Amino acid sequence: MKILIPVKRVVDYNVKVRVKSDGTGVDIANVKMSMNPFDEIAVEEAVRLKEKGVATEVIAVSCGVTQCQETLRTAMAIGADRGILVECAEELQPLAVAKLLKALVDREQPGLVILGKQAIDDDCNQTGQMLAALAGLPQATFASRVDIADGFATVAREVDGGSQTLKIGLPAVVTTDLRLNEPRYVTLPNIMKAKKKPLEVIRPADLGVDVAPRIRTLKVAEPPRRGAGVKVADVPTLVGKLRDEAKVI
C-alpha cells in the first residue's frame, strides 16, 4: 500500500511574523522556513506504518516554489521514499492545492493520504476535507490515533464532547492532530541519504489543473495590542469593570 503525504513549507513556528508595511501580506524575506508541524506529524505516522509493514511506500508531495524541495528532503530524511514537487510560483489557495493533490491521487493510487489538519501560516483547515470531497474518498479529521487492518482505518479523534472513533474503508484521507505522535529527530546520516532519494518536479499544467486564485486578499494587518491586566479587590469591582469599561456584559 502506498501512502501519500502532502507537506507544506511555512514560516518556522519560532519566528515572530511581521506584516509588510503596505499591508499586502506577511514579510518572509530572510525568514527561516520549515515544514508545517502538523505535516511533520503526518510524515512520522506514515513512516511508522511502513515500519509496521502496513505500507510499502511513502510518497511526500509539496506544492509551491522551488525551495519546497528542501521541505521534501526533510520528509525523506524522516523516512519518505521519494518526493514530488508541483512547482508553482503563484499563490496557491486550499482549493487549488486540493485539486493538485486529487490529480496526484488519481496518478499514484495511494491506499491512504495523511496530511496535517491545517497549516500554521493561514490556519485554513480546508485542504484535507476538499481533497476527500474531490476524490470521493472517506475522511477522518483531527486524528489522535490511526490503526490500519483488513482494508479499513480505525481513527480516534478528539471532539468537543470527548472522543470519537471512526472506521473508514481504504483508500481514505486522514488529517492529523498534535496528539497523534511525536516526530523523530532527523539524524545527519538520514539527511545525507535523503539527498540521493528520487525527487520529481512537475508543473500544474502537467496535471491539467488550473491554480488561479479564487479569493483576493484585500488587506493583512496585525491584531491590536492587548492592554495591561489589572487586579481587582472583589467580585463587584470586577463586574463593574466588565460592564462599564470592557462593555462585555
Side-chain angles (χ1 to χ4, degrees):
M1 180 180 75
K2 293 181 183 178
I3 301 181
L4 192 71
I5 311 294
V7 294
K8 186 176 183 181
R9 179 177 181 261
V10 299
V11 176
D12 189 86
Y13 67 92
N14 287 313
V15 173
K16 178 176 174 56
V17 177
R18 290 181 172 81
V19 176
K20 292 180 180 178
S21 58
D22 57 3
T24 57
V26 174
D27 187 6
I28 59 172
N30 301 317
V31 169
K32 181 183 178 183
M33 308 292 284
S34 61
M35 185 190 302
N36 179 47
F38 290 103
D39 296 341
E40 195 173 357
I41 292 171
V43 176
E44 174 66 26
E45 190 65 22
V47 173
R48 291 187 184 188
L49 289 172
K50 183 184 176 185
E51 291 172 346
K52 292 177 183 177
V54 174
T56 55
E57 185 179 28
V58 176
I59 308 165
V61 178
S62 190
C63 305
V65 296
T66 305
Q67 291 86 340
C68 290
Q69 292 188 29
E70 301 170 8
T71 308
L72 288 171
R73 293 295 180 191
T74 301
M76 289 188 279
I78 295 173
D81 297 293
R82 59 187 173 97
I84 301 174
L85 171 61
V86 184
E87 189 173 0
C88 178
E90 302 174 24
E91 176 193 1
L92 291 175
Q93 296 174 350
L95 180 59
V97 176
K99 288 180 178 179
L100 292 171
L101 294 177
K102 195 266 182 184
L104 288 172
V105 166
D106 292 341
R107 192 184 81 167
E108 297 290 340
Q109 295 293 308
L112 186 63
V113 182
I114 309 178
L115 64 162
K117 69 174 184 178
Q118 65 192 69
I120 62 172
D121 53 0
D122 55 22
D123 280 335
C124 281
N125 184 18
Q126 296 174 345
T127 304
Q129 294 89 326
M130 287 178 171
L131 171 60
L134 290 171
L137 298 176
Q139 61 176 305
T141 56
F142 314 143
S144 58
R145 193 185 76 250
V146 177
D147 297 313
I148 308 294
D150 302 323
F152 289 90
T154 303
V155 180
R157 60 193 300 269
E158 296 179 5
V159 295
D160 291 341
S163 61
Q164 181 184 51
T165 302
L166 302 177
K167 186 176 183 180
I168 55 178
L170 299 178
V173 176
V174 174
T175 70
T176 64
D177 212 336
L178 285 173
R179 291 179 177 84
L180 180 58
N181 61 53
E182 184 176 345
R184 69 193 66 188
Y185 176 77
V186 180
T187 62
L188 181 59
N190 286 337
I191 293 174
M192 301 307 293
K193 290 177 184 177
K195 293 181 179 180
K196 298 180 180 179
K197 292 182 179 180
L199 196 161
E200 180 185 4
V201 180
I202 56 177
R203 304 284 298 179
D206 299 332
L207 300 173
V209 176
D210 177 17
V211 295
R214 264 60 173 181
I215 300 172
R216 182 165 59 94
T217 301
L218 299 179
K219 184 180 180 181
V220 177
E222 294 186 5
R225 292 183 178 274
R226 285 187 175 184
V230 296
K231 290 184 178 181
V232 294
D234 48 37
V235 173
T237 306
L238 173 62
V239 173
K241 285 185 175 293
L242 292 175
R243 181 183 62 246
D244 302 329
E245 296 181 18
K247 301 193 183 299
V248 294
I249 60 175

